[in-house]
Amino acid sequence: MPPAEEFDAGRIHVRLDELLAERGMTLTELSSRVGVSLVNLSVLKNGRARAIRFSTLTAICDALDCQVGDLLIVLPVARRPEEHRS
C-alpha cells in the first residue's frame, strides 16, 4: 500500500487568493508587508509549497488580520483506490 502522505499531500488548501481579494490587497503588497519574496508567496498561493515556517505563517496572518484556520483548510478525505474494490 502506498504511503498515506501520497493521498494526503493535496488535501491542504491555501485560501490566500480569497483572503487577499476580501482585503483588496495584492500579492505584491503582502510580499512587502511580510518580507517574503513574491515567488515564495506565489508558490504558497498556488498550492505548490511543501512546507511553511511558523514565522512566515504568523507574518501572513498578522498582515491579513486572520487566523491560521482562515488561511489553511483541510479538504475532505478522498476515497483511496483500495476502497473502490468490491
Side-chain angles (χ1 to χ4, degrees), residues 9-30:
R11 290 188 52 218
I12 300 294
H13 173 68
V14 181
R15 296 189 61 247
L16 192 51
D17 263 344
E18 295 97 319
L19 293 173
L20 287 170
E22 288 172 9
R23 285 148 179 82
M25 187 184 301
T26 65
L27 197 62
T28 302
E29 184 179 349
L30 180 63

Side-chain angles (χ1 to χ4, degrees), residues 12 14 16 30 34 36 40-41 43-45 48-61 68 71-72:
I12 300 294
V14 181
L16 192 51
L30 180 63
V34 300
V36 174
N40 285 340
L41 284 178
V43 167
L44 178 64
K45 180 180 77 96
R48 294 189 320 263
R50 302 298 286 166
I52 184 169
R53 293 177 188 265
F54 284 161
S55 58
T56 301
L57 193 54
T58 302
I60 291 170
C61 288
V68 174
L71 180 63
L72 304 174

Side-chain angles (χ1 to χ4, degrees), residues 68-81:
V68 174
D70 299 324
L71 180 63
L72 304 174
I73 60 171
V74 180
L75 300 174
V77 177
R79 291 182 63 182
R80 295 186 174 164

